[in-house]
Amino acid sequence: MKFAVVVGINVFSVIDHSNDLRGCVPDAQHVRARLLARGWPAGNIAYLTDAAARKPAVVDALTAMLAAAHPGDHCVFFQSSHGTQVPDQDGDEADHLDEAICYHGICEDWAGSIMTDDEFGAILAGAKFGVIVTVILDLCHAGSATRNMVPGYRRSRFVTAPAAMPALPRHRFGRGWWGHSQRRRTGSVVIVPEMDHRLLAACRDNQTSADTDIDGPCGAFTHFLLAAEDRLRGECAGVVVTAVSRDLEATGYEQRPVVEEPPRLSPLAVFA
């Protein structure tokens, strides 16, 4: 069986629209359409956008997907939104910062509207052995809002955490979505034997992910990922992401996507 949770957030608050984006909901729409075309049953795709994409709803959908999947099944988690960085809670980060995903409601309840990599990893640990888990993130964890600025609309998918932020819960057994703390500085494909899922990330940890306009609002990474996946259908994720990196460079984007995966998943297509 095939399952998916697809999340796209353009609007992050009902009281403050300064952090709004344009391309995240279209990204989610396009990914959902591609999953349907690749054989995902419509009833097995949880689709959450804007106000429906609050953290508790996404956690519930992700947990339910992993609980329903059995060995040999494929679970895809896709999110297009803002990312951020917050103080590390358990000392597992060399830079003392945890990466985090942002959800709707960040202005009203910051701490309750982000998911750290440790928390995300703790949820992924609930997958049964043998389940294929693919995580695709079109967001970023670097804070330069001026990177990649060119004529036309282009914005970083990063939002800065408030200076006075409440303490976050610790998740001691979460390994996060990243498999190796220093791996994203070089190369597009990283094999991490201890990982139990694979990650397709829009950029390296010191880069920003562009919210832009290419034949309509979109994330640059999602746009080129879907184009390369269609053009190279059946090729493994590493080949596809390498092609995406070339396409981004050729069109003037500085971000370089990365795929991290264990050896057992490296032969598989993106939407196997």
Side-chain angles (χ1 to χ4, degrees):
M1 292 291 290
K2 297 180 177 182
F3 303 90
V5 175
V6 178
V7 181
I9 309 172
N10 282 342
V11 179
F12 288 83
S13 170
V14 296
I15 62 173
D16 180 356
H17 294 282
S18 62
N19 292 312
D20 287 359
L21 297 169
R22 299 181 187 178
C24 298
V25 172
D27 284 350
Q29 293 169 342
H30 296 320
V31 168
R32 182 179 184 275
R34 181 60 55 85
L35 290 169
L36 291 171
R38 295 291 183 261
W40 263 255
N44 287 4
I45 302 175
Y47 179 73
L48 303 167
T49 63
D50 287 342
R54 292 183 179 271
K55 179 183 175 182
V58 175
V59 170
D60 287 348
L62 178 56
T63 302
M65 174 179 71
L66 296 175
H70 296 282
D73 292 345
H74 191 175
C75 293
V76 171
F77 178 82
F78 171 85
Q79 180 157 337
S80 179
S81 72
H82 275 305
T84 190
Q85 290 179 321
V86 296
D88 179 22
Q89 297 294 306
D90 56 10
D92 67 338
E93 301 287 352
D95 60 0
H96 308 295
L97 293 169
D98 275 330
E99 287 83 12
I101 303 174
C102 299
Y103 292 98
H104 184 87
I106 55 175
C107 291
E108 297 88 335
D109 177 17
W110 174 270
S113 300
I114 64 171
M115 189 188 316
T116 67
D117 56 349
D118 289 342
E119 185 177 2
F120 192 83
I123 296 172
L124 291 185
K128 302 175 184 71
F129 181 79
V131 173
I132 301 166
V133 179
T134 297
V135 177
I136 305 173
L137 300 178
D138 195 345
L139 44 85
C140 57
H141 308 290
S144 174
T146 60
R147 184 184 294 273
N148 274 342
M149 296 304 292
V150 298
Y153 172 73
R154 191 178 296 188
R155 180 176 184 177
S156 164
R157 290 183 170 181
F158 176 89
V159 62
T160 303
M165 191 183 69
L168 299 172
R170 297 187 179 187
H171 296 268
R172 295 180 58 83
F173 301 103
R175 291 217 324 258
W177 48 76
W178 308 117
H180 188 277
S181 60
Q182 299 298 322
R183 83 281 137 240
R184 297 191 302 284
R185 305 285 179 168
T186 59
S188 295
V189 183
V190 181
I191 301 299
V192 186
E194 65 270 23
M195 286 184 75
D196 50 13
H197 63 281
R198 64 177 174 175
L199 166 72
L200 281 68
C203 59
R204 299 174 186 171
D205 59 354
N206 61 333
Q207 296 178 326
T208 56
S209 176
D211 191 67
T212 188
D213 192 310
I214 307 172
D215 299 325
C218 64
F221 170 67
T222 298
H223 172 84
F224 287 113
L225 175 67
L226 294 178
E229 190 275 337
D230 189 50
R231 185 173 72 246
L232 301 169
R233 184 173 178 182
E235 293 285 357
C236 68
V239 170
V240 171
V241 170
T242 299
V244 173
S245 185
R246 290 196 298 265
D247 292 342
L248 286 164
E249 182 176 12
T251 48
Y253 293 89
E254 295 181 14
Q255 68 190 84
R256 295 294 173 263
V258 177
V259 56
E260 281 193 353
E261 57 192 352
R264 71 181 181 90
L265 299 182
S266 62
L268 298 182
V270 176
F271 300 125

